[in-house]
């Protein structure tokens, strides 16, 4: 059992309200990412759930029981911090077994559990190592193992991969994913990295300015953002204004068939992801797209980011094709089915 | 397999002078230290070995060291010095641990408290010793206050705290002076990682006592140890406080060395210097131990 319910959570730092009226449910066996930019209040929420910070309002329930006023050591939640924060005066197995020893578990049983977790986190052979003899990735795995061994109802992960290099981070993501699917442990994972959140989680909760803006499956947030700000957070660059008239969206970039919509005649904001726009060099015969000229290209490895100036404004396009150059005349096509319309602007 | 972390990796790749170049750059400063400290020590050693032409002594021998080390008064002085240095250091360390724990969260919030704790570090030991005389002497401030409050009838009833058998005045002076120093050392460690480790301990189900026993104490141990050894070294070799507040017999070793050195009889001078060299050896041993503790702590990632 590992249910977490956050109800109308409010947290203040002095006179400044950091979190206001936040509601979030994390179900048993679920991995939910709390995603947001730095300073959005993600760690603050995690600390409140862990008991390291007292909220000014609302309630936190773990397995159906309110934990308001319950000290961290009495809550069935364990936190893995951004830095490994291993005890430097203990070796790897002592670090991992720390929580079990604090619970008063017998030495033999502790050793058995520690060995199991060492294997699960691929740390076999390092049990006697001193902390300073470990790499950054190994230290973070020990920190994860130290939390996992306690089998908490909720495992709270506070950007544990942010200090690792790209390769190591990818390996750790896969490890966390494997562990989560094997143990079915309920996890609340804090990150500012959208790709990390999308890859790891069953659901993503996007936090902007202390408020949850959208909670849902990774694909839902990515492809169907609730508002322009959510879309911008997930890399949305192309926003334009227009209005609906009889199932058609009229904008400066063209008229798009979007099907029946509420709010006939009302002004609406639309967006399209850069990778959904098709781009081709302009030929004598028009392909029916918008004419434009390339302003800038940025090679990003697997794709090239191209800024195209059209008569209605600029569009950002992401394409895997090579050969586009600044100054080149092109045609861009906006598929209507990829257009995302937001409620009335 | 991940490669072991190398915190000094940047330093390795940074361009800078090699070892030889560093010695050359440091040579002017090192020369002053070598000439003043090393030269003085060498001259003292020669005189302690019996080479003092002005007193008609010219033959080198270990005789003066032997006489000093077999003198019953030396043993009494040595024990008294160890007692005063050890007791004052232990009490200061104990008080410092408690003070640091109480202040850890306050100091983070208030720079004023941090500053207030730095003030006693700047006050010379001699000033504190004089203040101790004014306060703790039989006719001092505390004694008169006790009489005024009716706790004792006359000043003569006030316990002897200055020039007393147990060196209470000396110990109190050292404790007052050294507590801020050790506390600052502990606070530096606690501010660096101590509070974060305590948060980890809380989420790992450690009770307040367990956090103190299994996290705080091991975290601050190197700092307490190193600071205490430095304080011990200082109090073991310090002269002015026991000279002002101590008894005339037995004397602490530094006072005994000074008396011999400044004796009108020049023949006593080699024994005074021999005593001084014994003190220097004990002090150096404590400093070396402090360095070893610091080095071991730094290896574990603790900044001191």
């Amino acid at each position: 059992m590992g249910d977490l319910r956050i109800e109308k959570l409010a947290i203040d730092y002095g006179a400044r309200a950091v979190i206001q009226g936040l509601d979030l449910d994390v179900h048993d066996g679920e991995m939910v990412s709390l995603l947001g930019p730095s300073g959005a209040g993600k760690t603050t929420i995690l600390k409140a759930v862990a008991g390291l910070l007292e909220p000014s309002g609302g309630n936190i329930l773990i397995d159906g029981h309110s934990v308001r006023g319950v000290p961290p050591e009495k809550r069935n939640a364990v936190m893995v911090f951004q830095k490994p924060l291993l005890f430097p005066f203990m070796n790897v197995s002592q670090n991992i077994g720390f929580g079990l020893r604090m619970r008063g578990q017998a030495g033999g049983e502790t050793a058995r559990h520690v060995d199991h977790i060492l294997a699960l986190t691929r740390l076999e052979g390092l049990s006697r190592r001193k902390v300073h003899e470990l790499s950054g990735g190994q230290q973070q795995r020990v920190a994860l193992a130290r939390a996992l061994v306690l089998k908490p109802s909720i495992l709270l992960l506070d950007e544990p991969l942010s200090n690792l290099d790209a390769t190591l981070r990818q390996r750790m993501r896969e490890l966390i994913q494997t562990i989560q699917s094997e143990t079915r442990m309920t996890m609340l994972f804090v990150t500012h990295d959208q790709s990390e959140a999308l890859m790891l989680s069953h659901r993503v909760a996007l936090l902007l300015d202390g408020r949850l803006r959208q909670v849902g499956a990774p694909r839902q947030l990515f492809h169907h953002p609730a508002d322009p700000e959510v879309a911008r957070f997930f890399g949305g660059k192309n926003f334009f204004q227009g209005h609906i008239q009889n199932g058609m969206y009229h904008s400066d970039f063209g008229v798009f068939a979007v099907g029946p919509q509420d709010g006939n005649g009302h002004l609406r904001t639309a967006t399209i992801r850069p990778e959904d726009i098709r781009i081709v060099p302009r030929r004598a015969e028009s392909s029916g797209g918008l004419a434009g000229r390339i302003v800038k290209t940025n090679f990003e490895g697997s794709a090239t980011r191209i800024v195209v100036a059209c008569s209605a404004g600029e569009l950002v396009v992401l394409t895997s094709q090579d050969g586009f150059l600044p100054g080149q005349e092109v045609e861009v096509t906006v598929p209507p089915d990829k257009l995302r319309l937001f409620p009335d602007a | 397999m991940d490669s072991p972390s190398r915190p000094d990796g940047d330093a390795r790749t940074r361009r800078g002078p090699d070892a030889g170049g560093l010695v050359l750059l440091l040579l002017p400063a090192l020369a002053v230290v070598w000439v003043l400290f090393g030269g003085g020590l060498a001259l003292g050693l020669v005189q302690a070995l019996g080479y003092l032409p002005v007193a008609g002594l010219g033959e080198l021998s270990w005789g003066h060291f032997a006489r000093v080390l077999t003198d019953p008064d030396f043993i009494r002085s040595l024990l008294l010095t160890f007692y005063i240095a050890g007791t004052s250091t232990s009490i200061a360390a104990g008080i410092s641990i408690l003070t640091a724990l109480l202040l850890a969260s306050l100091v983070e919030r208030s720079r004023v408290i941090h500053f207030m704790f730095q003030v006693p570090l700047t006050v010379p030991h001699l000033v504190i010793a004089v203040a101790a005389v004014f306060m703790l002497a039989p006719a001092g401030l505390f004694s008169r206050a006790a009489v005024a409050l009716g706790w004792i009838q006359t000043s003569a009833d006030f316990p002897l705290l200055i020039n007393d058998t147990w060196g209470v005045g000396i110990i109190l002076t050292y404790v007052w002076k050294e507590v801020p120093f050790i506390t600052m050392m502990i606070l530096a460690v606690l501010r660096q990682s101590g509070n974060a480790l305590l948060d980890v301990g809380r989420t790992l189900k450690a009770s307040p006592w367990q956090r103190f026993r299994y996290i705080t104490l091991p975290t601050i141990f190197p700092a307490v140890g190193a600071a205490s050894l430095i304080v011990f070294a200082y109090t073991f070799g310090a002269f002015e406080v026991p000279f002002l507040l101590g008894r005339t017999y037995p004397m602490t070793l530094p006072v005994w060395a000074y008396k011999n050195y400044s004796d009108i009889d020049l023949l006593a001078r080699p024994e005074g210097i021999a005593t001084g060299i014994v003190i220097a050896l004990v002090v150096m041993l404590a400093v070396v131990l402090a360095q070893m503790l610091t080095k071991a702590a730094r290896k574990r990632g603790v900044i001191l």
Side-chain angles (χ1 to χ4, degrees), chain A residues 8-23:
Chain A
K8 307 256 176 296
L9 187 72
I11 302 169
D12 302 335
Y13 282 145
R16 192 167 67 92
V18 182
I19 304 292
Q20 282 177 305
L22 185 133
D23 293 299

Side-chain angles (χ1 to χ4, degrees), chain B residues 26-63:
Chain B
L26 288 170
L27 206 58
L30 287 175
V32 174
V33 174
W34 284 335
V35 169
L36 292 181
F37 182 70
L41 207 62
L43 190 66
L45 185 64
V46 169
Q47 290 189 4
L49 290 172
Y51 184 78
L52 195 63
V54 71
L57 301 172
E59 202 176 317
L60 295 179
S61 78
W62 294 100

Side-chain angles (χ1 to χ4, degrees), chain A residues 75 77 102 134-135 141 168, chain B residues 2-3 5 205 210 219 299:
Chain A
R75 296 187 184 196
M102 295 306 104
L134 302 174
S135 70
R141 270 187 280 161
L168 212 51
Chain B
D2 311 328
S3 58
S5 59
K205 315 305 161 207
Q210 286 174 321
T219 301
K299 205 174 161 188

